[in-house]
Amino acid sequence: MRLIIFIVCVLTFWAFKGFENTVPGEEDTVIELGSEWVWPLIMFFVGAIAVSFIDHYIGTLERQNIRLVYLIGGAILMVGAIVLLNKAKAAHALVS
């Protein structure tokens, strides 16, 4: 089940065109984002791993699962990565 969640997260990143590191420039040119594309990619995949695979227990006597913290943090990372990537693409599209 967790692998399916991870695959859905990756497909969502693909649907938001996260794997495209280029933006169209002037007169049929293409501008690459470079390192501005790598950081949102890393953020998204760390968030996707946190949402889908991490299951963390704390405590010694009464163990409690804090998976909800990882779900919320992972979702924030994934949304932030998509926003950051779209912002970088928009900034490069305005420059050209």
Side-chain angles (χ1 to χ4, degrees):
M1 184 66 184
R2 293 187 183 199
L3 185 60
I4 292 171
I5 294 171
F6 182 75
I7 291 171
V8 167
C9 289
V10 171
L11 290 176
T12 302
F13 191 67
W14 175 74
F16 281 106
K17 298 182 181 178
F19 291 111
E20 296 177 10
N21 67 343
T22 58
V23 291
E26 293 179 354
E27 300 175 4
D28 297 329
T29 60
V30 177
I31 301 171
E32 289 190 21
L33 295 177
S35 65
E36 294 177 349
W37 173 73
V38 173
W39 287 110
L41 184 71
I42 292 170
M43 282 176 55
F44 190 87
F45 277 98
V46 167
I49 289 170
V51 165
S52 55
F53 294 118
I54 296 178
D55 198 12
H56 193 126
Y57 288 92
I58 59 171
T60 54
L61 297 176
E62 291 184 32
R63 296 182 62 178
Q64 295 181 354
N65 192 349
I66 58 169
R67 179 162 168 74
L68 182 62
V69 174
Y70 286 102
L71 288 173
I72 293 169
I76 289 170
L77 275 174
M78 290 188 294
V79 169
I82 290 173
V83 169
L84 186 63
L85 184 63
N86 287 334
K87 190 174 181 179
K89 285 183 179 183
H92 279 284
L94 289 177
V95 169
S96 59

